[in-house]
PDB file of all heavy atoms in Angstrom:
ATOM      1  N   SER A 334      21.119 -29.265 -13.180  1.00 98.00           N
ATOM      2  CA  SER A 334      21.114 -30.718 -12.990  1.00 98.00           C
ATOM      3  C   SER A 334      22.264 -31.169 -12.073  1.00 98.00           C
ATOM      4  O   SER A 334      22.081 -32.020 -11.190  1.00 98.00           O
ATOM      5  CB  SER A 334      21.269 -31.413 -14.351  1.00 98.00           C
ATOM      6  OG  SER A 334      20.134 -31.141 -15.173  1.00 98.00           O
ATOM      7  N   ASP A 335      23.442 -30.583 -12.262  1.00 98.00           N
ATOM      8  CA  ASP A 335      24.589 -30.915 -11.411  1.00 98.00           C
ATOM      9  C   ASP A 335      24.327 -30.546  -9.947  1.00 98.00           C
ATOM     10  O   ASP A 335      24.878 -31.176  -9.054  1.00 98.00           O
ATOM     11  CB  ASP A 335      25.859 -30.172 -11.878  1.00 98.00           C
ATOM     12  CG  ASP A 335      26.361 -30.719 -13.218  1.00 98.00           C
ATOM     13  OD1 ASP A 335      25.957 -31.796 -13.635  1.00 98.00           O
ATOM     14  OD2 ASP A 335      27.211 -30.024 -13.859  1.00 98.00           O
ATOM     15  N   ALA A 336      23.485 -29.516  -9.755  1.00 98.00           N
ATOM     16  CA  ALA A 336      23.146 -29.103  -8.374  1.00 98.00           C
ATOM     17  C   ALA A 336      21.978 -29.907  -7.810  1.00 98.00           C
ATOM     18  O   ALA A 336      21.508 -29.654  -6.678  1.00 98.00           O
ATOM     19  CB  ALA A 336      22.804 -27.619  -8.347  1.00 98.00           C
ATOM     20  N   GLY A 337      21.482 -30.891  -8.568  1.00 98.00           N
ATOM     21  CA  GLY A 337      20.392 -31.722  -8.118  1.00 98.00           C
ATOM     22  C   GLY A 337      19.037 -31.052  -8.192  1.00 98.00           C
ATOM     23  O   GLY A 337      18.109 -31.465  -7.477  1.00 98.00           O
ATOM     24  N   ILE A 338      18.891 -30.073  -9.067  1.00 98.00           N
ATOM     25  CA  ILE A 338      17.656 -29.307  -9.184  1.00 98.00           C
ATOM     26  C   ILE A 338      16.900 -29.758 -10.420  1.00 98.00           C
ATOM     27  O   ILE A 338      17.408 -29.631 -11.552  1.00 98.00           O
ATOM     28  CB  ILE A 338      17.918 -27.816  -9.249  1.00 98.00           C
ATOM     29  CG1 ILE A 338      18.655 -27.357  -7.957  1.00 98.00           C
ATOM     30  CG2 ILE A 338      16.636 -27.016  -9.418  1.00 98.00           C
ATOM     31  CD1 ILE A 338      19.136 -25.903  -8.008  1.00 98.00           C
ATOM     32  N   ASP A 339      15.716 -30.312 -10.224  1.00 98.00           N
ATOM     33  CA  ASP A 339      14.896 -30.783 -11.345  1.00 98.00           C
ATOM     34  C   ASP A 339      14.044 -29.614 -11.840  1.00 98.00           C
ATOM     35  O   ASP A 339      12.974 -29.333 -11.265  1.00 98.00           O
ATOM     36  CB  ASP A 339      14.025 -31.960 -10.894  1.00 98.00           C
ATOM     37  CG  ASP A 339      13.156 -32.492 -11.991  1.00 98.00           C
ATOM     38  OD1 ASP A 339      13.437 -32.228 -13.169  1.00 98.00           O
ATOM     39  OD2 ASP A 339      12.152 -33.194 -11.680  1.00 98.00           O
ATOM     40  N   TYR A 340      14.514 -28.932 -12.828  1.00 98.00           N
ATOM     41  CA  TYR A 340      13.811 -27.765 -13.365  1.00 98.00           C
ATOM     42  C   TYR A 340      14.228 -27.576 -14.802  1.00 98.00           C
ATOM     43  O   TYR A 340      15.412 -27.691 -15.162  1.00 98.00           O
ATOM     44  CB  TYR A 340      14.201 -26.521 -12.556  1.00 98.00           C
ATOM     45  CG  TYR A 340      13.298 -25.313 -12.793  1.00 98.00           C
ATOM     46  CD1 TYR A 340      12.068 -25.212 -12.142  1.00 98.00           C
ATOM     47  CD2 TYR A 340      13.680 -24.284 -13.641  1.00 98.00           C
ATOM     48  CE1 TYR A 340      11.246 -24.131 -12.358  1.00 98.00           C
ATOM     49  CE2 TYR A 340      12.869 -23.191 -13.837  1.00 98.00           C
ATOM     50  CZ  TYR A 340      11.644 -23.102 -13.190  1.00 98.00           C
ATOM     51  OH  TYR A 340      10.846 -22.012 -13.383  1.00 98.00           O
ATOM     52  N   LYS A 341      13.246 -27.322 -15.673  1.00 98.00           N
ATOM     53  CA  LYS A 341      13.529 -27.250 -17.094  1.00 98.00           C
ATOM     54  C   LYS A 341      13.688 -25.806 -17.544  1.00 98.00           C
ATOM     55  O   LYS A 341      12.932 -24.913 -17.101  1.00 98.00           O
ATOM     56  CB  LYS A 341      12.354 -27.875 -17.876  1.00 98.00           C
ATOM     57  CG  LYS A 341      12.549 -27.915 -19.376  1.00 98.00           C
ATOM     58  CD  LYS A 341      13.706 -28.813 -19.802  1.00 98.00           C
ATOM     59  CE  LYS A 341      13.780 -28.881 -21.311  1.00 98.00           C
ATOM     60  NZ  LYS A 341      14.991 -29.665 -21.765  1.00 98.00           N
ATOM     61  N   VAL A 342      14.706 -25.553 -18.378  1.00 98.00           N
ATOM     62  CA  VAL A 342      14.880 -24.207 -18.968  1.00 98.00           C
ATOM     63  C   VAL A 342      14.970 -24.404 -20.471  1.00 98.00           C
ATOM     64  O   VAL A 342      15.501 -25.397 -20.954  1.00 98.00           O
ATOM     65  CB  VAL A 342      16.103 -23.479 -18.431  1.00 98.00           C
ATOM     66  CG1 VAL A 342      15.918 -23.097 -16.968  1.00 98.00           C
ATOM     67  CG2 VAL A 342      17.387 -24.311 -18.593  1.00 98.00           C
ATOM     68  N   TRP A 343      14.447 -23.419 -21.189  1.00 98.00           N
ATOM     69  CA  TRP A 343      14.460 -23.428 -22.652  1.00 98.00           C
ATOM     70  C   TRP A 343      15.005 -22.102 -23.159  1.00 98.00           C
ATOM     71  O   TRP A 343      14.859 -21.061 -22.502  1.00 98.00           O
ATOM     72  CB  TRP A 343      13.040 -23.601 -23.216  1.00 98.00           C
ATOM     73  CG  TRP A 343      12.357 -24.850 -22.851  1.00 98.00           C
ATOM     74  CD1 TRP A 343      12.357 -26.034 -23.525  1.00 98.00           C
ATOM     75  CD2 TRP A 343      11.467 -25.023 -21.741  1.00 98.00           C
ATOM     76  NE1 TRP A 343      11.556 -26.945 -22.881  1.00 98.00           N
ATOM     77  CE2 TRP A 343      10.993 -26.362 -21.785  1.00 98.00           C
ATOM     78  CE3 TRP A 343      11.028 -24.221 -20.697  1.00 98.00           C
ATOM     79  CZ2 TRP A 343      10.114 -26.867 -20.855  1.00 98.00           C
ATOM     80  CZ3 TRP A 343      10.165 -24.743 -19.742  1.00 98.00           C
ATOM     81  CH2 TRP A 343       9.706 -26.064 -19.848  1.00 98.00           C
ATOM     82  N   PRO A 344      15.614 -22.084 -24.346  1.00 98.00           N
ATOM     83  CA  PRO A 344      16.111 -20.792 -24.903  1.00 98.00           C
ATOM     84  C   PRO A 344      15.023 -19.985 -25.519  1.00 98.00           C
ATOM     85  O   PRO A 344      13.980 -20.517 -25.983  1.00 98.00           O
ATOM     86  CB  PRO A 344      17.131 -21.289 -25.984  1.00 98.00           C
ATOM     87  CG  PRO A 344      16.571 -22.607 -26.435  1.00 98.00           C
ATOM     88  CD  PRO A 344      15.953 -23.236 -25.211  1.00 98.00           C
ATOM     89  N   GLY A 345      15.225 -18.679 -25.545  1.00 98.00           N
ATOM     90  CA  GLY A 345      14.283 -17.747 -26.136  1.00 98.00           C
ATOM     91  C   GLY A 345      14.936 -16.417 -26.276  1.00 98.00           C
ATOM     92  O   GLY A 345      16.129 -16.280 -26.421  1.00 98.00           O
ATOM     93  N   GLY A 346      14.137 -15.363 -26.193  1.00 98.00           N
ATOM     94  CA  GLY A 346      14.635 -14.014 -26.296  1.00 98.00           C
ATOM     95  C   GLY A 346      13.512 -13.019 -26.188  1.00 98.00           C
ATOM     96  O   GLY A 346      12.355 -13.340 -26.496  1.00 98.00           O
ATOM     97  N   GLU A 347      13.848 -11.821 -25.716  1.00 98.00           N
ATOM     98  CA  GLU A 347      12.919 -10.682 -25.712  1.00 98.00           C
ATOM     99  C   GLU A 347      13.453  -9.717 -26.752  1.00 98.00           C
ATOM    100  O   GLU A 347      14.445  -9.015 -26.537  1.00 98.00           O
ATOM    101  CB  GLU A 347      12.857 -10.040 -24.344  1.00 98.00           C
ATOM    102  CG  GLU A 347      11.869  -8.886 -24.264  1.00 98.00           C
ATOM    103  CD  GLU A 347      11.837  -8.225 -22.899  1.00 98.00           C
ATOM    104  OE1 GLU A 347      12.655  -8.576 -22.040  1.00 98.00           O
ATOM    105  OE2 GLU A 347      10.969  -7.359 -22.681  1.00 98.00           O
ATOM    106  N   VAL A 348      12.856  -9.725 -27.943  1.00 98.00           N
ATOM    107  CA  VAL A 348      13.336  -8.999 -29.072  1.00 98.00           C
ATOM    108  C   VAL A 348      12.893  -7.548 -29.053  1.00 98.00           C
ATOM    109  O   VAL A 348      11.700  -7.279 -29.096  1.00 98.00           O
ATOM    110  CB  VAL A 348      12.876  -9.674 -30.387  1.00 98.00           C
ATOM    111  CG1 VAL A 348      13.458  -8.966 -31.598  1.00 98.00           C
ATOM    112  CG2 VAL A 348      13.275 -11.148 -30.410  1.00 98.00           C
ATOM    113  N   ARG A 349      13.865  -6.649 -28.989  1.00 97.00           N
ATOM    114  CA  ARG A 349      13.532  -5.213 -29.008  1.00 97.00           C
ATOM    115  C   ARG A 349      13.199  -4.802 -30.452  1.00 97.00           C
ATOM    116  O   ARG A 349      13.956  -4.984 -31.391  1.00 97.00           O
ATOM    117  CB  ARG A 349      14.690  -4.425 -28.511  1.00 97.00           C
ATOM    118  CG  ARG A 349      14.562  -2.884 -28.614  1.00 97.00           C
ATOM    119  CD  ARG A 349      13.364  -2.358 -27.840  1.00 97.00           C
ATOM    120  NE  ARG A 349      13.344  -2.752 -26.451  1.00 97.00           N
ATOM    121  CZ  ARG A 349      13.870  -2.039 -25.459  1.00 97.00           C
ATOM    122  NH1 ARG A 349      14.440  -0.871 -25.702  1.00 97.00           N
ATOM    123  NH2 ARG A 349      13.783  -2.464 -24.215  1.00 97.00           N
ATOM    124  N   LEU A 350      11.989  -4.262 -30.647  1.00 97.00           N
ATOM    125  CA  LEU A 350      11.586  -3.796 -31.960  1.00 97.00           C
ATOM    126  C   LEU A 350      12.344  -2.524 -32.321  1.00 97.00           C
ATOM    127  O   LEU A 350      12.445  -1.624 -31.522  1.00 97.00           O
ATOM    128  CB  LEU A 350      10.057  -3.539 -32.016  1.00 97.00           C
ATOM    129  CG  LEU A 350       9.157  -4.767 -31.775  1.00 97.00           C
ATOM    130  CD1 LEU A 350       7.701  -4.370 -32.060  1.00 97.00           C
ATOM    131  CD2 LEU A 350       9.583  -5.940 -32.577  1.00 97.00           C
ATOM    132  N   HIS A 351      12.811  -2.457 -33.550  1.00 96.00           N
ATOM    133  CA  HIS A 351      13.459  -1.245 -34.075  1.00 96.00           C
ATOM    134  C   HIS A 351      13.234  -1.206 -35.576  1.00 96.00           C
ATOM    135  O   HIS A 351      12.807  -2.199 -36.199  1.00 96.00           O
ATOM    136  CB  HIS A 351      14.936  -1.187 -33.697  1.00 96.00           C
ATOM    137  CG  HIS A 351      15.736  -2.372 -34.202  1.00 96.00           C
ATOM    138  ND1 HIS A 351      16.261  -2.450 -35.460  1.00 96.00           N
ATOM    139  CD2 HIS A 351      16.084  -3.530 -33.564  1.00 96.00           C
ATOM    140  CE1 HIS A 351      16.928  -3.562 -35.578  1.00 96.00           C
ATOM    141  NE2 HIS A 351      16.828  -4.267 -34.471  1.00 96.00           N
ATOM    142  N   ALA A 352      13.551  -0.086 -36.183  1.00 96.00           N
ATOM    143  CA  ALA A 352      13.201   0.153 -37.574  1.00 96.00           C
ATOM    144  C   ALA A 352      13.820  -0.840 -38.545  1.00 96.00           C
ATOM    145  O   ALA A 352      13.248  -1.109 -39.619  1.00 96.00           O
ATOM    146  CB  ALA A 352      13.568   1.591 -37.968  1.00 96.00           C
ATOM    147  N   LYS A 353      14.973  -1.403 -38.188  1.00 96.00           N
ATOM    148  CA  LYS A 353      15.670  -2.307 -39.087  1.00 96.00           C
ATOM    149  C   LYS A 353      15.545  -3.778 -38.682  1.00 96.00           C
ATOM    150  O   LYS A 353      16.353  -4.610 -39.094  1.00 96.00           O
ATOM    151  CB  LYS A 353      17.135  -1.895 -39.184  1.00 96.00           C
ATOM    152  CG  LYS A 353      17.341  -0.506 -39.780  1.00 96.00           C
ATOM    153  CD  LYS A 353      18.819  -0.166 -39.906  1.00 96.00           C
ATOM    154  CE  LYS A 353      19.036   1.232 -40.511  1.00 96.00           C
ATOM    155  NZ  LYS A 353      20.453   1.585 -40.646  1.00 96.00           N
ATOM    156  N   LEU A 354      14.552  -4.060 -37.848  1.00 97.00           N
ATOM    157  CA  LEU A 354      14.433  -5.432 -37.326  1.00 97.00           C
ATOM    158  C   LEU A 354      14.187  -6.444 -38.440  1.00 97.00           C
ATOM    159  O   LEU A 354      14.724  -7.579 -38.363  1.00 97.00           O
ATOM    160  CB  LEU A 354      13.351  -5.495 -36.288  1.00 97.00           C
ATOM    161  CG  LEU A 354      13.191  -6.887 -35.624  1.00 97.00           C
ATOM    162  CD1 LEU A 354      14.439  -7.266 -34.840  1.00 97.00           C
ATOM    163  CD2 LEU A 354      11.956  -6.952 -34.748  1.00 97.00           C
ATOM    164  N   ILE A 355      13.419  -6.117 -39.433  1.00 97.00           N
ATOM    165  CA  ILE A 355      13.132  -7.090 -40.485  1.00 97.00           C
ATOM    166  C   ILE A 355      14.443  -7.490 -41.174  1.00 97.00           C
ATOM    167  O   ILE A 355      14.689  -8.692 -41.422  1.00 97.00           O
ATOM    168  CB  ILE A 355      12.126  -6.514 -41.521  1.00 97.00           C
ATOM    169  CG1 ILE A 355      10.754  -6.340 -40.874  1.00 97.00           C
ATOM    170  CG2 ILE A 355      12.025  -7.426 -42.725  1.00 97.00           C
ATOM    171  CD1 ILE A 355       9.722  -5.659 -41.748  1.00 97.00           C
ATOM    172  N   ASP A 356      15.287  -6.528 -41.492  1.00 96.00           N
ATOM    173  CA  ASP A 356      16.578  -6.868 -42.074  1.00 96.00           C
ATOM    174  C   ASP A 356      17.432  -7.706 -41.132  1.00 96.00           C
ATOM    175  O   ASP A 356      18.092  -8.650 -41.558  1.00 96.00           O
ATOM    176  CB  ASP A 356      17.348  -5.593 -42.433  1.00 96.00           C
ATOM    177  CG  ASP A 356      16.688  -4.800 -43.546  1.00 96.00           C
ATOM    178  OD1 ASP A 356      15.944  -5.436 -44.349  1.00 96.00           O
ATOM    179  OD2 ASP A 356      16.921  -3.595 -43.635  1.00 96.00           O
ATOM    180  N   GLN A 357      17.379  -7.385 -39.838  1.00 95.00           N
ATOM    181  CA  GLN A 357      18.105  -8.161 -38.844  1.00 95.00           C
ATOM    182  C   GLN A 357      17.621  -9.611 -38.810  1.00 95.00           C
ATOM    183  O   GLN A 357      18.424 -10.537 -38.771  1.00 95.00           O
ATOM    184  CB  GLN A 357      17.948  -7.522 -37.479  1.00 95.00           C
ATOM    185  CG  GLN A 357      18.587  -8.305 -36.337  1.00 95.00           C
ATOM    186  CD  GLN A 357      18.280  -7.698 -34.980  1.00 95.00           C
ATOM    187  OE1 GLN A 357      18.363  -6.504 -34.789  1.00 95.00           O
ATOM    188  NE2 GLN A 357      17.862  -8.543 -34.019  1.00 95.00           N
TER     189      GLN A 357
END
Side-chain angles (χ1 to χ4, degrees):
S334 297
D335 289 346
I338 299 172
D339 181 18
Y340 193 81
K341 182 66 176 175
V342 292
W343 298 270
E347 181 181 8
V348 181
R349 174 60 54 94
L350 298 188
H351 57 85
K353 297 183 179 180
L354 182 64
I355 293 176
D356 292 337
Q357 175 186 314

